[in-house]
Amino acid sequence: MRTRTHTAGQLREEHIGQEVRLCGWVHARREQSAELVFVDVRDRYGITQLVFDAEDTSPELPKQAKGVHLEDVVGAKGVVRARERVNKKIPTGGVEVLVTELEVLSRTVSPPLIASDEQNLPAEETRLKYRYLDLRRPKMQEIIRTRHRVTKLARDYFDEQGFLEIETPCLTRSTPEGARDYLVPSRQQPGMWYALPQSPQIFKQILMVAGCDRYLQICRCFRDEDPRADRQAEFTQIDCELSFVDRETVLGVMEGFAKRVWNEVLGYEAGDFPRITYKEAMDRFGIDRPDTRYGLELVDVSDLAAKTDFKVFTEALEKDRGVVKAIRVPGGAAKLTRKITDGYSKFVQDFGAGGVPVTKVAGVTLEAGIAKFVEPIAGELIDRLGAKDGDTILFGADTYSTCSKALGELRQRVARDMEMIPEGAWNFLWVIDFPMFEFDEETGRFYAMHHPFTAPSDEELERFMGADPSDRETIESIVSDGYDLVCNGSEIGGGSIRIHRQDVQKKVFELLGISDEEARLKFSFLLDALSFGAPPHGGIAFGLDRLIMHLAGTDNIRDVIAFPKTQTGADLMCEAPNVVDEEQLGELHVKSTARARTD
């Protein structure tokens, strides 16, 4: 009985009276008596209850049913009938199958993970080691289905928009894109190396030069960087590029895609996505991917802080671009204890800040914390923040970048502590007008905020072309045509209008301190392509894994990837990475300088 007529999620009232065959895993077993046993059989489509009734069939069948164990694979033949007690929790809950024949197709040893027991899951390490058992869980099966739906939807939507799906190489050359490359030695060309792509960026721009006009790829990308909750070293992008477009065209097409995904997967009708500039995002939220489901906005109170003698404020304001900002926490006085706010000071130290000065609003004045230090500005401060009795005020004081970063991260933690994040809310927005460059104090040079192929905005082009490489203030102020799509505080897509003119590309390299020789060495084939008539073009890449995280309601990227890596980049199931023998290394003309682990 290795074949089935129906799946375990298919049977309904219209099937009553039919003889069927089902196959799947034993999800649950209940013995009501010696003559009556119930077994739930499960496959990826759902669960159906099997009935083994000695009175209605054979006395041997209940005995057979008692011999099956959870996660055994079984096949059963029987007749569909209505259930006396309908189970409204499952789609098949109105029917059951009275079994006339049972076959155990495969026995299981005692499994380290039971798919039906969501309440007692083992540690994540065990789940990843036995990933094939973890993936049997209905929750994980639903995530896999959601991922399939989104990739199919992407192909359908972009096909309607005239995109061509084109594959780009996974073995390419190393190019600087912000993270370490994964390198692959060449056996046929000793001493030469391939790199796995961090993204198809250069290839998709070349496809625009090639006249492909609209490109789509659901592609694997590789970055040798430390994983985290929303990032893996090996990940998937929905990658798009369009020719003869401006920013408005790109944003319109991509916004339509995001709306369709949320509508078809979750039934959510999103309105138009608001747009804010990078500067506004940093000023109000301290982060370029703001979560706008709640308030807790950053308010600049530097002018008020300057009227005090509070050393923390005055020393911050003496710094280059020093600021003092504040966050009003409604009702915080009752919930944010001293212990919690002391924890906030430790929290922001990870982002370079010294601490979080705190005070509370009591009527029309301030009390506790730094109240005595800010007493001269209490009234003005309360008015500026719109604070009410019982609110808490949190401060940040440092350089603009450090203060913004620290408070931007802190507001997210406060929102969780205060339970301010509404369930079921979806807040989308575009962040636009990113700076083209950011200065690194350690290296004393500029880097491209997105990548070195991002174009300046049309309004900035003349000023950009005339910028002096030594004029830091001007270079930092140049605005690019980059954009990010943000959902609930998570960047789900990012892109830009690209450079299609050689003189503009050369100027970018000049401001980045990249010589003509270095540019030719690193980007020769792209620069050659741009010299043969490149159309104006732009694009975006959606992080597929992050999209699925949102849609599936999980905050762990490993939940939405079938075979993920751990925080140290290990695959616990197949035990990768692992050692290879000296003969293999010799064929690749490489030698390991590290002592391999053999334990």
Side-chain angles (χ1 to χ4, degrees):
M1 202 182 306
R2 300 184 177 186
T3 62
R4 57 191 177 187
T5 59
H6 298 77
T7 70
Q10 189 174 357
L11 299 180
R12 301 291 189 273
E13 283 76 1
E14 60 265 27
H15 296 101
I16 291 174
Q18 294 183 20
E19 183 177 75
V20 298
R21 293 194 309 274
L22 301 181
C23 297
W25 286 265
V26 175
H27 188 73
R29 189 190 67 194
R30 301 176 299 282
E31 298 180 21
Q32 187 163 319
S33 68
E35 290 78 29
L36 183 61
V37 178
F38 298 94
V39 172
D40 289 346
V41 65
R42 180 196 73 245
D43 59 18
R44 76 176 178 92
Y45 304 95
I47 298 171
T48 295
Q49 178 172 280
L50 307 180
V51 183
F52 299 82
D53 191 339
E55 183 176 336
D56 291 339
T57 53
S58 163
E60 298 301 316
L61 283 170
K63 296 178 183 178
Q64 280 186 269
K66 291 179 182 180
V68 301
H69 303 92
L70 296 183
E71 301 306 315
D72 282 351
V73 182
V74 299
K77 181 167 70 173
V79 177
V80 182
R81 70 181 189 184
R83 289 180 64 160
E84 291 185 8
R85 294 183 179 179
V86 174
N87 182 355
K88 296 182 179 180
K89 295 181 179 180
I90 57 175
T92 61
V95 298
E96 60 190 13
V97 176
L98 179 64
V99 177
T100 57
E101 185 178 340
L102 174 70
E103 181 180 356
V104 178
L105 300 172
S106 178
R107 292 284 188 185
T108 183
V109 296
S110 180
L113 186 158
I114 302 297
S116 59
D117 192 359
E118 288 281 352
Q119 302 303 314
N120 295 292
L121 292 176
E124 187 181 40
E125 290 77 8
T126 301
R127 291 173 49 206
L128 294 178
K129 180 176 177 61
Y130 300 96
R131 188 61 165 178
Y132 38 84
L133 298 180
D134 193 41
L135 290 175
R136 289 182 190 174
R137 293 190 293 126
K139 180 179 178 179
M140 298 300 291
Q141 290 287 315
E142 179 59 29
I143 289 174
I144 290 173
R145 282 194 293 272
T146 299
R147 191 175 181 114
H148 163 76
R149 287 184 65 189
V150 172
T151 55
K152 182 179 184 303
L153 193 155
R155 288 188 166 98
D156 291 344
Y157 174 84
F158 288 112
D159 178 66
E160 293 168 11
Q161 300 291 324
F163 286 71
L164 301 175
E165 186 168 3
I166 307 172
E167 294 180 347
T168 55
C170 280
L171 291 176
T172 181
R173 67 172 294 166
S174 179
T175 57
E177 293 194 45
R180 296 184 190 90
D181 285 324
Y182 279 102
L183 300 176
V184 181
S186 169
R187 177 183 59 83
Q188 295 173 316
Q189 300 184 54
M192 306 297 280
W193 299 78
Y194 299 104
L196 301 181
Q198 294 187 35
S199 77
Q201 181 63 46
I202 293 178
F203 286 102
K204 67 180 183 179
Q205 289 192 248
I206 286 177
L207 286 169
M208 297 302 101
V209 178
C212 292
D213 193 64
R214 292 194 168 198
Y215 142 94
L216 165 72
Q217 186 178 190
I218 299 176
C219 54
R220 300 295 281 170
C221 303
F222 308 88
R223 294 179 183 175
D224 189 4
E225 54 189 357
D226 295 334
R228 61 189 185 197
D230 65 346
R231 183 175 71 191
Q232 282 266 298
E234 180 181 2
F235 60 98
T236 305
Q237 288 184 176
I238 301 174
D239 204 43
C240 305
E241 198 78 7
L242 307 80
S243 290
F244 304 112
V245 293
D246 56 13
R247 185 174 71 186
E248 291 302 310
T249 304
V250 177
L251 267 55
V253 173
M254 302 310 159
E255 188 170 313
F257 168 65
K259 288 179 179 179
R260 182 176 294 188
V261 168
W262 258 258
N263 183 25
E264 295 197 11
V265 176
L266 297 181
Y268 176 77
E269 290 280 356
D272 291 338
F273 296 176
R275 301 178 188 182
I276 67 172
T277 65
Y278 171 86
K279 184 178 185 308
E280 182 183 357
M282 297 303 294
D283 286 346
R284 293 173 55 193
F285 305 101
I287 199 166
D288 60 5
R289 45 176 178 80
D291 191 338
T292 56
R293 290 175 294 175
Y294 50 87
L296 302 180
E297 293 192 19
L298 282 57
V299 178
D300 193 325
V301 294
S302 300
D303 58 324
L304 301 181
K307 300 178 183 179
T308 74
D309 295 324
F310 187 36
K311 190 175 180 180
V312 173
F313 289 172
T314 57
E315 288 184 351
L317 293 174
E318 289 171 358
K319 295 180 179 181
D320 183 31
R321 300 192 71 195
V323 296
V324 177
K325 290 191 172 187
I327 298 175
R328 177 180 76 91
V329 184
K335 291 187 176 182
L336 299 181
T337 64
R338 174 70 179 273
K339 181 179 179 180
I340 292 175
T341 55
D342 285 349
Y344 291 164
S345 286
K346 294 179 181 178
F347 175 77
V348 299
Q349 288 172 7
D350 290 339
F351 306 101
V356 180
V358 181
T359 190
K360 299 177 181 180
V361 181
V364 295
T365 187
L366 303 174
E367 66 176 16
I370 64 168
K372 65 179 181 179
F373 299 107
V374 294
E375 183 179 357
I377 61 168
E380 293 177 281
L381 186 64
I382 290 171
D383 289 343
R384 175 80 57 90
L385 298 175
K388 304 284 192 269
D389 182 44
D391 292 351
T392 291
I393 302 174
L394 307 175
F395 294 91
D398 212 300
T399 63
Y400 177 87
S401 59
T402 298
C403 181
S404 299
K405 175 67 173 176
L407 290 186
E409 296 292 340
L410 179 62
R411 72 179 286 272
Q412 298 175 75
R413 177 165 172 174
V414 173
R416 293 190 293 269
D417 291 345
M418 294 292 296
E419 299 179 336
M420 297 178 68
I421 305 174
E423 292 187 12
W426 296 107
N427 281 30
F428 298 89
L429 59 90
W430 288 104
V431 180
I432 60 175
D433 293 346
F434 281 81
M436 276 198 75
F437 307 101
E438 53 186 343
F439 189 79
D440 184 89
E441 297 288 352
E442 290 187 11
T443 60
R445 55 168 292 187
F446 279 102
Y447 292 88
M449 180 164 278
H450 271 89
H451 53 63
F453 315 115
T454 296
S457 66
D458 290 341
E459 295 78 8
E460 294 283 321
L461 184 58
E462 183 176 348
R463 196 163 68 95
F464 163 78
M465 294 299 292
D468 188 307
S470 64
D471 186 353
R472 175 175 171 179
E473 184 177 351
T474 296
I475 297 172
E476 283 185 320
S477 68
I478 294 171
V479 173
S480 77
D481 229 345
Y483 37 80
D484 283 350
L485 179 57
V486 177
C487 173
N488 290 358
S490 173
E491 178 198 330
I492 60 174
S496 67
I497 298 299
R498 322 301 187 189
I499 296 169
H500 70 282
R501 284 171 40 181
Q502 285 185 291
D503 59 337
V504 176
Q505 187 65 72
K506 184 176 181 180
K507 185 66 178 182
V508 169
F509 290 150
E510 177 190 346
L511 297 180
L512 291 175
I514 299 175
S515 66
D516 291 343
E517 294 75 16
E518 186 181 357
R520 293 297 309 173
L521 180 65
K522 294 179 177 178
F523 309 110
S524 58
F525 60 114
L526 176 60
L527 297 178
D528 286 343
L530 293 177
S531 71
F532 291 110
H537 60 285
I540 197 169
F542 291 95
L544 176 62
D545 309 303
R546 289 186 186 175
L547 280 177
I548 306 305
M549 284 175 64
H550 281 290
L551 298 168
T554 180
D555 58 4
N556 188 340
I557 199 170
R558 293 184 291 278
D559 286 342
V560 303
I561 298 173
F563 300 104
K565 306 292 190 294
T566 66
Q567 289 287 72
T568 58
D571 185 327
L572 299 182
M573 186 185 72
C574 65
E575 299 182 336
N578 213 320
V579 297
V580 296
D581 59 42
E582 292 295 329
E583 183 178 350
Q584 283 180 283
L585 292 177
E587 290 177 345
L588 295 171
H589 315 287
V590 298
K591 185 177 180 63
S592 175
T593 60
R595 174 174 291 182
R597 289 179 54 188
T598 57
D599 53 306

